[in-house]
Amino acid sequence: MCKKLYAIIGLCFSQLVMANAAVPTADASLWWADDDTTGIAVDKKDTSNLLYAFKKGTVEGRFRYFFMSALNEGQLTDYYANAFGGGIKYQTAPFHHFQLALGGFYTFNLGSSNLAKPDSITGSPNRYEIGLFNIQNPSKTNNLYKLEYFNLSYQFKNFKAILGKQLLQTPFINPQDGRMRPSFEDGFYVEWSNPKNKWQGGWLYNMSPRSTIEWFSVANSIGWYAQGVNTDGTAANYHGNLSSAGIGLLGYTHQFNTAFSIKGWNMFVENIFNSSMLELNYNNTTHTTNASFIPLAGLRLIAQQTVHDGGNVNPHNAYMQKDNRAYVVSARVGIKNAQWFTALNYTRIANNGRYLNPREWGIEPFYTFMYRERNEGNANVNAVMWNMQWQMKKQPLKVETQLGYFALPDVKNVADNKYGMPSYAQLNIDVKYHFTKQLSGFNAEFLYVYKKGYGNSYNNPKYVINKVNMSLLNLILNYSF
């Protein structure tokens, strides 16, 4: 069994690294030799032996099926997609506190609309379903593969450092795992913690956004999604025209007690912009019971400003306009117990300037964030969202409902509204079930989204299609091992 797993990893690696290059056949014993053919005696419990570290490595994987369909109003185009994929990750056992990890993922199209065909009325491209495949080339939706993990890590007590391709979870850069695969990062990252404090940070020089199959420099990873318009109304054209040495991240968390914590984060994108966040959070994690509700609350303050010329001396090719400043306040209050969670959330983006964060890198760190839509790219926003979660007591079933209203600038106010998104209300109903016993490892999710437009669309369907007055159906099946 062990040799079969190694063979799978070897095949995955050869496909990912050498792409379509032909691999000559060879005697399998040259690659997958038994212990008694290596000529080396190996102690099965010798953790200081390099061969032991590779032999005792771990393998994990996932298969995923994803159905998505956008239903637009009237004669606007409806789309659907069926995607299936699988991936595997191998990590060696520790060798003098070092570990090597390697992994990748394949995606196949099981039957979908023509996602490369724009809407016949507006000329707008597909927005949602293409994200299951390859936004780099909407015509190529089959045999997509990508090397996702390739890193060397070192861990000693409370310190960990990792170099290479990895998956990060931070306020500004995060997996945003709402398609087939999340966004990945390439760089150097460290973490150190004790019971009260946690420091983390590093330097990133390459990115592989979700819905892409390649790795890009930090500058060239921006703009694969819609670029919107500049503040003067001209079409933004920063994709491929930015320059940056990379991203510096620094985060600190202090846990005062079991409930109250303070967190600070800074993201410096060299030559483009800088974002900072301060979070105060009250969320008791140790005294939750079925009988009594306990309070929770949170406050996030975000400040953002341009660095140099925002990525390009030509403002039409810059990601952020020179001297742009943005300020955000996001807050929540709520109650919870072992089965229930409910909270009222509010976000205010001030009217100083647009809040920007590359959609290729992660979701926005707002309490009002709802899956399948964002408020990034806007200034002068008021958003309110109520959410409720219910965990069934005796079954692994979880239901979450979100209802929000988002007051955005007028779609023709190009200085404050980058993507021409009208004000809207949104409803999300998310049902998750984790199978047990013989089907352990399987989980299923159904997400229904409805968005109703309330802003003036001026009878122009380009402000409607894939934005408002639409439903979005999502069915996701995962098997992890």
Side-chain angles (χ1 to χ4, degrees):
M1 180 61 182
C2 184
K3 289 192 290 183
K4 290 181 180 179
L5 290 175
Y6 290 160
I8 294 172
I9 297 166
L11 176 61
C12 181
F13 179 77
S14 64
Q15 291 286 337
L16 291 167
V17 175
M18 293 183 285
N20 295 319
V23 181
T25 59
D27 183 355
S29 64
L30 295 176
W31 299 99
W32 311 114
D34 291 326
D35 290 350
D36 59 0
T37 64
T38 62
I40 303 173
V42 179
D43 183 347
K44 297 298 184 181
K45 297 182 180 180
D46 183 5
T47 58
S48 65
N49 187 289
L50 181 60
L51 185 56
Y52 173 91
F54 276 91
K55 288 286 188 181
K56 296 302 179 181
T58 58
V59 175
E60 60 184 69
R62 172 191 279 189
F63 293 104
R64 187 169 202 174
Y65 167 76
F66 205 130
F67 169 78
M68 179 182 287
S69 179
L71 306 176
N72 287 292
E73 72 171 4
Q75 299 302 309
L76 298 175
T77 304
D78 297 334
Y79 293 94
Y80 69 91
N82 289 277
F84 177 79
I88 197 166
K89 177 186 176 183
Y90 168 78
Q91 186 171 36
T92 66
F95 176 71
H96 296 288
H97 305 290
F98 286 95
Q99 289 181 279
L100 178 68
L102 173 68
F105 197 86
Y106 274 81
T107 302
F108 301 92
N109 185 349
L110 297 184
S112 306
S113 304
N114 183 352
L115 305 181
K117 183 179 179 179
D119 174 63
S120 59
I121 297 175
T122 64
S124 299
N126 179 269
R127 178 185 179 188
Y128 289 106
E129 290 79 7
I130 189 59
L132 299 182
F133 303 107
N134 179 22
I135 59 175
Q136 298 174 245
N137 182 0
S139 298
K140 181 176 174 56
T141 59
N142 255 317
N143 300 320
L144 306 174
Y145 47 86
K146 177 167 67 175
L147 179 68
E148 296 180 330
Y149 296 95
F150 192 20
N151 61 67
L152 181 67
S153 61
Y154 176 86
Q155 186 166 2
F156 182 71
K157 295 183 179 179
N158 296 330
F159 175 82
K160 182 178 181 180
I162 184 168
L163 174 65
K165 294 175 171 58
Q166 56 192 287
L167 185 65
L168 295 179
Q169 178 70 61
T170 77
F172 301 115
I173 295 178
N174 46 71
Q176 55 173 350
D177 192 12
R179 299 295 187 272
M180 283 298 288
R181 294 300 289 158
S183 297
F184 287 83
E185 299 77 37
D186 191 3
F188 179 68
Y189 201 77
V190 298
E191 296 181 359
W192 176 86
S193 63
N194 62 28
K196 291 288 187 180
N197 303 283
K198 182 177 182 179
W199 288 93
Q200 54 189 312
W203 186 262
L204 308 178
Y205 39 79
N206 290 321
M207 308 286 284
S208 184
R210 73 172 186 181
S211 309
T212 67
I213 60 173
E214 296 180 26
W215 287 86
F216 309 95
S217 67
V218 164
N220 289 331
S221 71
I222 303 174
W224 285 105
Y225 295 163
Q227 299 179 68
V229 298
N230 294 312
T231 54
D232 62 0
T234 58
N237 187 37
Y238 48 79
H239 180 57
N241 292 316
L242 302 175
S243 61
S244 175
I247 304 169
L249 291 168
L250 181 63
Y252 171 71
T253 302
H254 179 73
Q255 192 75 39
F256 291 95
N257 50 45
T258 58
F260 183 65
S261 65
I262 185 171
K263 180 184 297 185
W265 270 92
N266 191 80
M267 178 174 72
F268 172 73
V269 186
E270 193 273 332
N271 196 48
I272 302 181
F273 70 94
N274 189 87
S275 293
S276 302
M277 185 187 81
L278 176 67
E279 175 186 297
L280 303 175
N281 190 42
Y282 182 86
N283 188 3
N284 197 319
T285 59
T286 61
H287 295 92
T288 303
T289 66
N290 290 324
S292 60
F293 284 90
I294 59 175
L296 58 95
L299 175 67
R300 292 173 179 167
L301 306 174
I302 300 172
Q304 183 182 78
Q305 64 184 30
T306 309
V307 173
H308 296 154
D309 296 303
N312 195 305
V313 294
N314 182 347
H316 292 285
N317 296 334
Y319 176 71
M320 187 176 292
Q321 298 302 298
K322 192 171 184 178
D323 300 324
N324 180 78
R325 292 179 181 273
Y327 302 98
V328 182
V329 177
S330 191
R332 72 172 183 178
V333 292
I335 55 175
K336 67 173 185 175
N337 65 12
Q339 285 186 268
W340 293 90
F341 167 96
T342 185
L344 184 64
N345 310 273
Y346 173 76
T347 295
R348 167 64 177 167
I349 304 177
N351 59 3
N352 303 73
R354 296 172 171 178
Y355 173 79
L356 300 174
N357 196 71
R359 298 190 171 194
E360 296 78 10
W361 296 357
I363 61 175
E364 54 208 18
F366 304 160
Y367 287 118
T368 51
F369 172 79
M370 296 177 65
Y371 290 114
R372 305 302 184 263
E373 196 51 78
R374 310 191 191 195
N375 293 154
E376 179 273 329
N378 291 285
N380 195 20
V381 172
N382 285 285
V384 60
M385 186 267 283
W386 167 79
N387 65 319
M388 181 182 68
Q389 297 176 11
W390 173 64
Q391 175 69 60
M392 194 172 180
K393 189 174 181 179
K394 295 184 179 181
Q395 294 291 332
L397 176 69
K398 182 179 180 180
V399 179
E400 180 175 9
T401 301
Q402 297 176 314
L403 181 63
Y405 179 77
F406 302 83
L408 308 183
D410 187 86
V411 293
K412 292 189 175 182
N413 181 357
V414 293
D416 291 343
N417 195 329
K418 176 180 173 68
Y419 300 106
M421 181 74 185
S423 296
Y424 65 99
Q426 181 171 338
L427 170 68
N428 285 10
I429 300 175
D430 193 9
V431 182
K432 298 178 181 179
Y433 186 85
H434 290 264
F435 293 87
T436 59
K437 298 180 180 179
Q438 292 91 344
L439 293 178
S440 293
F442 270 108
N443 66 78
E445 178 180 3
F446 177 75
L447 172 65
Y448 172 75
V449 177
Y450 177 73
K451 293 187 290 179
K452 171 67 175 177
Y454 284 96
N456 192 343
S457 61
Y458 298 94
N459 295 317
N460 189 337
K462 77 174 185 177
Y463 297 125
V464 176
I465 185 169
N466 291 324
K467 294 180 178 180
V468 296
N469 301 339
M470 64 166 296
S471 293
L472 191 64
L473 308 178
N474 307 261
L475 175 63
I476 307 111
L477 303 176
N478 293 309
Y479 179 70
S480 301
F481 60 92

